[in-house]
């Protein structure tokens, strides 16, 4: 971050602060928000985390989760007032206002000082302060580093450490992805030293499945998995009706795309789901092949090289057809992954 001293001065007296994660926050988004909110509260600030949507039940153990304000139409005026009255707005784990739905217009209109803490590609230029690096495996890694730069490492307690550890663990695929750097391990070691119970966090995130979620996974893998060997690609598609039939909740499809990517010989995978607000794509890749490029160029999305998301204005069937139709454009890259 440039002007760290000016930023420290900004936070040297109590402020009204709003902290916002992206749409459908995952462990990194929510964990980073709650961890950072915990630090700010200890520094004497009045902090409100506002989420643009709900989030998975397996994240509800995080300290401070019960105080998160989830955007709903009946809360619009309350949330709009909080954003308008804020002295600072922190945009955490996203850097484009289109990633927070209705909140995006409120943030854009706000006269508050805006801060981005993020590790995704191509940040928009709306922030006054930018703590951003694509070299970071997770935004939680950046939150830890910012806290240290501020001289506030001593404010990180067990609860905050576990929120940040959850973000790093999940965004590195339990330390399997290529973004698992030396610095990731060093930060995790510090978080363990500060009290993070890694076994507990792992169990809460990965071993808290509902019966309906397991049945959905079984159905998707046995009935909906499509493998396109020529393109070293696999995908799953799920309709609204299929999702409803398994009584799915937010987060129930989390990780499904990784099963498709785990197939021997597959280097690119997609999960395509039909939601009330349109068709969503979750894209994953291995090695040098860029899932981000496909998301950005064809599905109004983006993210990281090997993990990206997108959306489609077409119906589910047409989106699947479009997905298959773009693969020939990448035949050479798909067959020469390193």
């Amino acid at each position: 971050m440039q002007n760290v001293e000016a930023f420290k001065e900004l936070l040297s007296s109590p402020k009204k602060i709003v902290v916002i994660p992206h749409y459908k926050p995952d462990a990194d988004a929510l964990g980073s928000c709650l961890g950072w909110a915990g630090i700010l509260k200890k520094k004497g600030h009045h902090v409100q985390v506002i989420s643009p949507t709900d989030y998975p039940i397996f994240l509800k153990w995080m300290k401070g989760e019960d105080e998160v304000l989830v955007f709903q139409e009946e809360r619009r005026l309350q949330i709009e007032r909080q954003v308008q009255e804020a002295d600072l707005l922190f945009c955490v784990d996203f850097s484009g206002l289109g990633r927070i739905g209705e909140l995006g217009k409120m943030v854009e209109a706000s006269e508050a000082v805006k801060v981005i803490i993020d590790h995704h590609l191509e940040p928009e230029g709306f922030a006054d302060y930018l703590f951003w690096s694509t070299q970071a495996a997770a935004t939680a890694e950046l939150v830890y580093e910012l806290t240290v730069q501020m001289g506030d490492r001593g404010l990180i307690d067990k609860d905050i450490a576990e929120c940040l550890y959850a973000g790093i663990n999940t965004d590195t695929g339990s330390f399997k992805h290529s973004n698992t750097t030396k610095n990731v391990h060093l930060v995790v070691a510090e978080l363990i030293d500060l009290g993070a119970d890694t076994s507990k966090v792992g169990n809460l995130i990965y071993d808290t499945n509902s019966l309906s979620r397991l049945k959905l996974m079984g159905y998707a893998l046995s009935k909906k998995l499509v493998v396109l060997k020529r393109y070293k690609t696999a995908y799953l598609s799920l309709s609204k009706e299929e999702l409803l039939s398994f009584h799915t909740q937010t987060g129930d499809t989390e990780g499904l795309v990784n099963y498709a990517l785990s197939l021997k010989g597959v280097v690119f995978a997609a999960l395509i789901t039909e939601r009330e607000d349109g068709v969503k794509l979750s894209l994953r890749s291995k090695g040098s092949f860029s899932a981000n490029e496909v998301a950005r160029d064809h599905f109004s999305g983006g993210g990281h090289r090997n993990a990206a998301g997108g959306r489609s204005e077409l119906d589910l069937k047409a989106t699947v057809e479009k997905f298959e139709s773009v693969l020939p454009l990448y035949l050479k890259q798909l067959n020469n992954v390193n």
Side-chain angles (χ1 to χ4, degrees):
M1 174 186 285
Q2 295 179 336
N3 302 319
V4 173
E5 292 304 315
F7 183 69
K8 289 172 68 173
E9 178 63 26
L10 189 65
L11 292 176
S12 64
S13 59
K15 299 288 192 301
K16 291 182 180 178
I17 297 175
V18 168
V19 182
I20 304 173
H22 59 68
Y23 178 94
K24 296 292 181 184
D26 55 11
D28 190 28
L30 189 65
S32 295
C33 282
L34 292 175
W36 184 236
I39 294 293
L40 293 172
K41 287 176 182 177
K42 287 189 174 188
K43 291 175 69 69
H45 301 289
H46 180 274
V47 186
Q48 178 65 63
V49 177
I50 301 178
S51 176
T53 63
D54 61 353
Y55 40 83
I57 193 169
F58 56 78
L59 301 180
K60 293 185 179 290
W61 56 269
M62 292 182 176
K63 180 70 171 180
E65 178 279 326
D66 56 335
E67 298 176 358
V68 174
L69 193 57
V70 177
F71 181 88
Q72 294 172 344
E73 191 58 39
E74 58 268 27
R75 292 175 173 169
R76 176 184 289 273
L77 293 178
Q78 175 192 2
I79 290 173
E80 194 165 26
R81 184 172 61 253
Q82 293 222 25
V83 172
Q84 287 175 346
E85 293 178 354
D87 299 308
L88 282 91
L89 294 171
F90 283 92
C91 298
V92 178
D93 201 37
F94 72 95
S95 51
L97 295 179
R99 295 282 283 131
I100 54 173
E102 294 292 320
L103 281 173
K105 295 177 183 177
M106 298 181 194
V107 171
E108 186 175 28
S110 171
E111 295 182 1
V113 174
K114 301 177 182 71
V115 185
I116 287 175
I117 308 176
D118 187 38
H119 68 139
H120 292 90
L121 297 170
E122 301 168 349
E124 293 178 1
F126 65 86
D128 300 287
Y129 291 90
L130 182 65
F131 195 69
W132 169 80
S133 173
T134 57
Q135 300 304 306
T139 294
E141 183 181 349
L142 293 175
V143 170
Y144 173 81
E145 291 178 350
L146 178 58
T147 302
V148 171
Q149 284 191 28
M150 296 281 292
D152 292 325
R153 181 185 183 277
L155 298 181
I156 301 176
D157 57 23
K158 175 182 174 65
D159 293 321
I160 292 171
E162 288 178 347
C163 285
L164 299 181
Y165 173 77
I168 296 171
N169 178 294
T170 53
D171 261 28
T172 58
S174 296
F175 311 103
K176 293 184 297 184
H177 297 338
S178 60
N179 62 356
T180 308
T181 62
K182 174 183 176 180
N183 191 64
V184 163
H185 288 296
L186 291 172
V187 171
V188 165
E190 293 294 325
L191 294 175
I192 292 171
D193 189 51
L194 290 162
D197 185 334
T198 59
S199 177
K200 182 189 82 172
V201 172
N203 287 333
L204 287 167
I205 291 176
Y206 299 111
D207 299 326
T208 312
N209 290 308
S210 65
L211 180 60
S212 61
R213 185 188 187 205
L214 291 181
K215 288 184 175 181
L216 170 68
M217 292 172 66
Y219 169 77
L221 294 173
S222 63
K223 303 293 185 182
K224 305 293 298 198
L225 182 61
V226 176
V227 181
L228 304 173
K229 291 184 179 180
R230 173 175 169 80
Y231 301 107
K232 296 187 176 181
T233 294
Y235 71 85
L236 305 118
S237 63
L238 292 166
S239 68
K240 283 190 297 186
E241 291 74 22
E242 287 170 319
L243 293 171
L244 285 170
S245 70
F246 287 96
H247 310 288
T248 55
Q249 300 179 17
T250 296
D252 279 357
T253 59
E254 188 84 18
L256 258 179
V257 66
N258 295 323
Y259 287 100
L261 189 64
S262 72
L263 285 168
K264 184 178 181 180
V266 167
V267 299
F268 184 41
L271 172 64
I272 307 171
T273 52
E274 183 183 31
R275 306 286 184 173
E276 289 297 329
D277 55 347
V279 177
K280 309 294 182 183
L281 297 93
S282 179
L283 307 177
R284 298 291 184 271
S285 65
K286 294 177 181 175
S288 58
F289 187 73
S290 177
N292 176 71
E293 182 180 335
V294 178
R296 184 191 65 222
D297 292 350
H298 302 285
F299 296 104
S300 304
H304 307 288
R305 182 180 68 182
N306 297 126
R311 61 185 185 275
S312 172
E313 302 300 324
L314 305 171
D315 63 23
L316 181 64
K317 182 175 182 294
T319 300
V320 170
E321 290 173 351
K322 178 179 178 179
F323 176 77
E324 289 196 10
S325 75
V326 304
L327 294 176
L329 302 175
Y330 300 95
L331 179 61
K332 185 176 181 180
Q333 295 99 306
L334 287 163
N335 282 281
N336 290 282
V337 169
N338 52 47

